[in-house]
Amino acid sequence: MRSHLLNDTTAERYRRSVTEGIERVAAKLATTDRPFTGVTVDALAPRIERIDLDRPLHDTSAVLDELEEVYLRDAIYFHHPRYLAHLNCPVVIPAVLGEAVLSAVNSSLDTWDQSAGGTLIERRLIDWTNERIGLGPAADGVFTSGGSQSNLQALLLAREEAKPGNEPGDNAAKLRVFASEVSHFSVKKSAKLLGLGADSVVPIPVDQDKRMQTLALAHELERCERDGLVPMAVVATAGTTDFGSIDPLPEIAQLCAQFGAWMHVDAAYGCGLLTSLKNRDRLEGIERADSVTVDYHKSFFQPVSSSAVLVRDAATLRHATYHAEYLNPRRMVQERIPNQVDKSLQTTRRFDALKLWMTLRVMGADGIGELFDEVCDLAQEGWKLLVADPRFDVVVEPSLSTLVLRFIPAAVTDPAEIDRANLYARKALFASGDAVVAGTKVGGRHYLKFTLLNPETTADDIAAVLDLIAGHAEQYLGESLDRAS
Ligand SMILES: *Cc1c(COP(=O)(O)O)cnc(C)c1O
């Protein structure tokens, strides 16, 4: 069994195994003609159940053959131009190379003595990101598993900073977090994890463009103060998950300063603009944040996972610091040994930063920005198509790369029936595997959503998927008529 350990004596096995795996994936990528096969849970589950995990095959090729059956054949392929569903990007090759290197060396970024250069590379990338944001000389941050964790950590810091000393009666029940009604659900989940009350997250209405209404925010902040409550944080979203809308950051920064609230910018999606030469100005005001969430695994074309939380003041990260004698004893701080665990919610932690490093070193930041600009342009084209197409209602002109739309047949007036037709179309499309789209609710009605993150997707793809949706929806409505008569 020792021949399976990756070490000095097994380099050849390592090379052969990994190369064989890469060749299978490369062949798969070259031949996938749809983003999905449409396999059902019922069809796939028995194939996986059937595998006897106590009877290994002892043969890599045989296991890869089996993997074809249980995973590769029916996976959802984000690189396919008709995958238009969630915030998943096609990945860039330098990052995939980084992934292969980081898992083979298997550094753990919690302490210097488990990573060495890995720690310094991560810190450079945090500094690089902070410079792009403009967070100032005292900024810091750490890589995380994703935007949800970044938001949680940011709100943890905000909670600790909001505690005005140890005044009697000072308790978590008084803390309030303000976020737009279309902010990410991880804000509410974080509040719960942080022990804040059920009413702690105050939803702020959005305008027609799905941007936080700052007038309403100002009212809520005033009310908060009047009621003797503590405005712990405002979460501004730079790229909402559903619409890509960017909250008015400068106005929100102003209000945060006025009311003494921590400003967190959730740029999980919009962070791609940090590399854009054309559209960087859409993030204006982000430099005034106290903390920022970025998801490189969304708009930097990085494989999952790759995310970071950035803070204006490095000292605030102390709220996540605990010292363990076995790992990161306090004396190491004096010795200036960089232990990233001091800043992180995680302990053992992947060297995800390497993927971004490889990407920047091979392609450069402008290369990422170019790709992201392309999908934003594509969304504009899609928007024009939709506005001109009487079969569809489209919600907002995209600020990033998302389109939210609804099939609206001229002959049907019952909105519930139109809901059902749209839900049916999404399901039927998924089952066909011809394209994958997402869905959401707008004003209580069911809409479909295209999240465009693949520069290989064309306006023709969008037009073709719209036809497919219309076809499925019409089929549903036709059958529904038959059922009624
Ligand atoms: C995706 C997303 C998140 C959550 O990020 P994960 O990486 O999926 O945990 C948070 N906020 C916004 C705005 C997002 O789009």
Side-chain angles (χ1 to χ4, degrees), residues 195-425:
L196 307 183
D199 303 327
S200 59
V201 180
V202 181
I204 306 296
V206 290
D207 64 15
Q208 278 190 334
D209 294 323
K210 306 292 177 189
R211 293 153 43 100
M212 187 192 284
Q213 291 189 30
T214 46
L215 213 58
L217 174 63
H219 285 313
E220 288 295 344
L221 284 165
E222 277 159 21
R223 186 212 303 264
C224 178
E225 226 176 40
R226 238 187 0 257
D227 295 347
L229 303 172
V230 181
M232 174 185 127
V234 178
V235 177
T237 311
T240 57
T241 313
D242 271 351
F243 308 101
S245 47
I246 300 172
D247 288 339
L249 304 178
E251 288 94 320
I252 292 171
Q254 188 55 44
L255 287 168
C256 284
Q258 189 183 332
F259 288 88
W262 178 282
M263 180 183 180
H264 176 62
V265 177
D266 179 356
Y269 177 13
C271 60
L273 294 178
L274 294 170
T275 56
S276 165
L277 296 175
K278 234 170 59 179
N279 302 317
R280 169 63 180 82
D281 58 345
R282 292 181 194 175
L283 288 180
E284 201 201 313
I286 195 173
E287 70 286 351
R288 295 172 68 182
D290 292 296
S291 58
V292 177
T293 287
V294 301
D295 260 0
Y296 307 108
H297 62 216
K298 282 179 181 164
S299 47
F300 276 63
F301 305 94
Q302 300 293 294
V304 177
S305 57
S306 185
S307 178
V309 60
L310 295 317
V311 296
R312 158 174 308 283
D313 178 3
T316 58
L317 289 170
R318 74 183 181 284
H319 300 306
T321 309
Y322 285 85
H323 291 286
E325 207 44 49
Y326 82 93
L327 190 68
N328 59 333
R330 206 174 291 274
R331 67 171 180 279
M332 286 187 174
V333 178
Q334 273 92 58
E335 291 168 29
R336 296 181 57 245
I337 294 169
N339 290 328
Q340 294 289 85
V341 69
D342 296 354
K343 308 172 186 176
S344 176
L345 300 186
Q346 294 164 265
T347 306
T348 305
R349 191 162 53 84
R350 290 164 55 80
F351 182 22
D352 286 318
L354 181 61
K355 296 179 280 193
L356 179 58
W357 180 269
M358 298 295 284
T359 305
L360 292 180
R361 297 309 296 142
V362 174
M363 297 168 54
D366 294 354
I368 300 169
E370 237 170 74
L371 294 178
F372 193 57
D373 284 345
E374 281 184 49
V375 293
C376 292
D377 290 347
L378 177 67
Q380 283 298 329
E381 282 184 68
W383 158 258
K384 283 181 198 137
L385 278 178
L386 279 160
V387 167
D389 191 334
R391 297 173 301 172
F392 292 95
D393 175 34
V394 54
V395 181
V396 282
E397 185 170 354
S399 320
L400 294 175
S401 63
T402 301
L403 295 166
V404 181
L405 54 119
R406 175 171 162 94
F407 178 70
I408 41 162
V412 183
T413 50
D414 175 12
E417 180 71 348
I418 300 177
D419 275 352
R420 288 189 288 273
N422 280 276
L423 285 171
Y424 175 88

Side-chain angles (χ1 to χ4, degrees), residues 9-72:
T9 64
T10 56
E12 192 45 42
R13 177 189 279 266
Y14 162 59
R15 195 174 290 122
R16 257 190 292 114
S17 288
V18 176
T19 305
E20 192 178 348
I22 289 170
E23 267 159 14
R24 301 279 184 124
V25 175
K28 194 84 231 164
L29 295 178
T31 54
T32 42
D33 55 356
R34 290 179 297 170
F36 182 42
T37 59
V39 73
T40 60
V41 180
D42 288 343
L44 191 51
R47 271 191 255 155
I48 291 167
E49 278 306 309
R50 208 163 43 229
I51 306 285
D52 185 346
L53 292 175
D54 295 316
R55 281 166 170 254
L57 299 177
H58 298 295
D59 178 80
T60 304
S61 304
V63 172
L64 285 169
D65 289 342
E66 183 184 272
L67 193 66
E68 175 72 17
E69 299 285 313
V70 298
Y71 175 57
L72 289 174

